[in-house]
Amino acid sequence: MEIEKLANIEITDEDILWVEEMMGGKVHFDFARVNVLKNMDSVDIQAFPGSGKTTILVAKLAILAKKWPYSNAGICVLSHTNVAREEIEERLGNTEIGRKLLSYPHFIGTVHSFFDTYVSLPWLKSNGYEINIIDTELVHSLRWNKLPRNKRYYLEMQYKSETICEYRDNIGNIERVKNEETNELLLSVIEKTQKDGYFTFGEMLLYAQKVLKEWDEIPKAIQRRFPILFIDEAQDTDTFQWDLLKKAFNSDGELSIRQGFGDSNQAIYGNLYADNTTGNFPRENALVLSESRRFDSSISSLANTVALSKAQMDGTDNEFTQKGIKHTIFLFEKENAAQVIDEFGQLILDTFSDEELKTYEKEGVHVIGMIHDKKEETKDNQFPKGIYDYWNAYEARKANKRTTPKNLIDYFRKGIEEFQNNGEKSEQIEWICKGLRRLVNKAKECNYIPATGNSINAIMKLLSDEQKKDFRKLLMLLADFGNLISKEDWKSMVIIMKKILSLFETEPNEDAKKFGKWVEDQEKSNENSDDKKLLPNYYVYCDEETKLEVDMEFGSIHSVKGRTHLATLVLETFMKSHNMKSILDYLCGEPPKRMKSSSEKRLKCQYVAMTRARALICLAIPIDFVDEKMQMKLQQKGWNLKIV
């Protein structure tokens, strides 16, 4: 059935010419991309890396916003980060169309924020709940500390932790233990804290599930409000979220249409250890954007060996195609693991000119691996276990391992970095509260708020119930200033922090003012300078003969998803077994008839890793893992082998 509200909206060739011009005249949409732009049916778009998925989505949104006739119904765009919104702000933010898209009646945000805004929060407020803090770790900690000491001890003896302090699967359900008294106490604490306005992110989605199940009119109202839904990075939507979306935007297509944009090969989610595989994307008869404009066929053919999708990716010739670049696997003796990095550095200098390295400096040269956070020493049979086994100076959690910030604003910057790295608002708030604790202590000229493992709790203990409410509201204002704090933003934030100081019956003295002054982001300044040696996780290789240098940035595979590199080296790492060793048959182009359950996540991570580079992709694998027969097969697939 045709959607009534969309019946008169048609995207024409003239619209496409208009949007190409509006986007600076540097974008040209070919037949396959025009087909996606014009399509107004419920259909998914399987878009391979470098195919311009985000550009197409932004262009389609711009055309629709220009033609949109309704003031009380809008376009809904959902993702798992704020990347879509940031792309619109960057590409269209200064235009009238951009301002339209970013304001009522349209909604562009995360899956969580959508269901909070339109389902969970309205229902909770109408049923008498306060809303103070929505955050998983903070609420876990709050509830855990409300349990008597003997109950916490009992739970710890049952190998339980703070994470047990929330509803599971459905409202009112918990992860139960044998002691029924403890179960009842857990339920009581959860219910009481919710009445006081404390919820985890997961519980907010559970309330959305409850509302959508019990009120049939809610989905109809949502679809009338948003007759068209776009899901960006749709492959990262887990099964629970898909169920919510299907319920909210009924898939029968009567009142709304749904289009998902993504790449099923890159569904690696936020947690390496989570089993979140889902067959919800793409649906049958998806539109396929198979041509990557990031790299040529020499890379696409190698990456296709680890792709899960039936469709194959095509490369596009670029300025590096004629160079005949050698995509290399470094086969190393385990005692030579550290030498692999220098070998890669030398290959970079041998492959690219100074001018090319300068031109693509922003994209850079990257060294990545699946495992990067060191939790214990590496056993002999696990080596190499993580990135740290190749370069022992690597720091997995940069923010936590650097020195204490000298200035208040750097606490905010560290909080933003943590939020961008792992998506948890709690860590951002904890950094803000660490800074506020120091600010109050400087203003009070004493250690008024003690340093503890939980700064927000330390602050709260010194405030009355009424002051706590005021503090939470002010804290949320400080946490919502976005991912890049400007000098003007900081002036507004200082006013908020003066209100916080007044809660402690003090005001800024000279020491507090000095601590709270505006300072430029030193790390950003370093990034823009030539001295990358000042930055953590940058390895500088220098050719002893020519004295030429190349900077290499280290990080996890998850940290580079969505980015483009000049060149990438993927390191072998260990999680239950060695990653590339486990999927070596696929890399050789001879996949087994039956896929092991553990292989799917490895293949997706490997695919993400092998589709970042526009010019050179390399792997590093211990030579013990690759016999002569395998070496021959890898060479036949197009790999150059280098023994280290």
Side-chain angles (χ1 to χ4, degrees), residues 174-432:
I174 58 169
E175 181 185 348
R176 303 183 78 86
V177 292
K178 291 181 180 179
N179 185 285
E180 196 57 36
E181 182 186 347
T182 303
N183 290 329
E184 293 302 318
L185 186 58
L186 270 171
L187 285 166
S188 174
V189 167
I190 292 171
E191 186 177 339
K192 175 66 170 62
T193 54
Q194 287 190 348
K195 280 293 182 185
D196 291 337
Y198 296 89
F199 300 86
T200 66
F201 294 126
E203 285 170 346
M204 294 299 288
L205 290 184
L206 288 178
Y207 274 106
Q209 178 191 58
K210 171 184 171 68
V211 174
L212 292 171
K213 276 183 180 179
E214 295 178 0
W215 299 83
D216 290 338
E217 286 301 313
I218 299 294
K220 292 178 182 176
I222 288 173
Q223 291 171 71
R224 284 192 291 267
R225 176 70 173 78
F226 297 107
I228 185 166
L229 166 67
F230 295 105
I231 307 171
D232 192 25
E233 301 296 350
Q235 77 280 348
D236 286 340
T237 307
D238 64 35
T239 302
F240 184 85
Q241 292 169 343
W242 273 121
D243 289 344
L244 284 181
L245 288 168
K246 288 175 183 177
K247 185 69 176 176
F249 294 89
N250 196 322
S251 56
D252 62 15
E254 288 187 5
L255 294 174
S256 66
I257 69 167
R258 184 186 93 209
Q259 293 190 352
F261 285 70
D263 180 4
S264 58
N265 297 301
Q266 298 187 70
I268 64 175
Y269 304 96
N271 182 354
L272 187 59
Y273 303 93
D275 184 15
N276 282 325
T277 56
T278 174
N280 288 290
F281 176 87
R283 290 167 288 180
E284 286 189 22
N285 302 316
L287 303 178
V288 179
L289 295 175
S290 60
E291 184 187 67
S292 174
R293 294 177 174 177
R294 179 177 295 161
F295 40 69
D296 64 20
S297 59
S298 68
I299 291 181
S300 66
S301 62
L302 297 174
N304 280 333
T305 63
V306 292
L308 290 172
S309 65
K310 293 177 182 177
Q312 294 283 287
M313 173 174 51
D314 300 317
T316 308
D317 285 355
N318 57 28
E319 65 268 42
F320 298 105
T321 300
Q322 298 302 318
K323 297 187 73 164
I325 289 175
K326 295 181 178 179
H327 305 297
T328 299
I329 297 179
F330 297 103
L331 298 175
F332 61 93
E333 302 288 349
K334 290 186 178 179
E335 61 267 23
N336 295 336
Q339 191 179 329
V340 168
I341 310 304
D342 286 347
E343 291 285 349
F344 179 57
Q346 187 60 53
L347 179 60
I348 294 295
L349 293 177
D350 292 343
T351 302
F352 302 106
S353 66
D354 291 349
E355 185 179 346
E356 287 169 336
L357 290 173
K358 185 69 176 175
T359 300
Y360 292 98
E361 184 179 20
K362 189 174 180 181
E363 293 177 357
V365 175
H366 294 254
V367 181
I368 58 177
M370 184 187 284
I371 302 300
H372 77 126
D373 195 355
K374 187 172 185 177
K375 300 185 187 308
E376 58 189 5
E377 292 303 313
T378 301
K379 298 175 183 176
D380 287 344
N381 67 319
Q382 298 173 339
F383 189 92
K385 186 175 184 180
I387 292 173
Y388 42 82
D389 285 329
Y390 297 83
W391 183 34
N392 58 19
Y394 176 75
E395 300 177 3
R397 295 180 63 82
K398 297 185 235 180
N400 289 345
K401 294 194 176 184
R402 295 182 206 160
T403 57
T404 302
K406 293 181 180 179
N407 304 290
L408 179 57
I409 190 171
D410 287 326
Y411 282 91
F412 285 81
R413 289 168 177 153
K414 283 180 177 291
I416 290 167
E417 181 183 349
E418 283 294 303
F419 179 61
Q420 290 175 327
N421 285 343
N422 56 38
E424 285 286 359
K425 200 76 173 174
S426 60
E427 296 198 31
Q428 179 182 3
I429 289 172
E430 177 63 18
W431 273 108
I432 293 172

Side-chain angles (χ1 to χ4, degrees), residues 120-185:
S120 306
L121 287 175
W123 187 90
L124 288 167
K125 289 176 180 177
S126 68
N127 282 274
Y129 287 87
E130 290 186 41
I131 305 297
N132 282 314
I133 288 181
I134 301 170
D135 186 274
T136 300
E137 290 189 17
L138 282 176
V139 172
H140 281 169
S141 178
L142 173 76
R143 291 172 180 171
W144 181 260
N145 289 322
K146 285 184 178 294
L147 295 172
R149 187 185 299 272
N150 66 318
K151 293 299 181 186
R152 296 201 299 264
Y153 178 76
Y154 168 76
L155 288 169
E156 287 170 347
M157 291 301 99
Q158 304 300 309
Y159 302 101
K160 306 300 180 186
S161 64
E162 294 180 0
T163 59
I164 200 173
C165 299
E166 73 169 316
Y167 288 148
R168 307 279 173 165
D169 301 322
N170 289 289
I171 297 299
N173 286 0
I174 58 169
E175 181 185 348
R176 303 183 78 86
V177 292
K178 291 181 180 179
N179 185 285
E180 196 57 36
E181 182 186 347
T182 303
N183 290 329
E184 293 302 318
L185 186 58

Side-chain angles (χ1 to χ4, degrees), residues 92-109:
L92 306 173
N94 294 324
T95 67
E96 182 183 351
I97 294 297
R99 288 189 287 273
K100 274 187 179 181
L101 276 171
L102 296 169
S103 58
Y104 182 89
H106 308 300
F107 181 89
I108 300 175

Side-chain angles (χ1 to χ4, degrees), residues 480-493:
D480 285 342
F481 264 86
N483 293 338
L484 187 62
I485 300 171
S486 68
K487 194 170 184 178
E488 289 304 309
D489 289 336
W490 189 245
K491 290 177 183 177
S492 301
M493 295 167 79

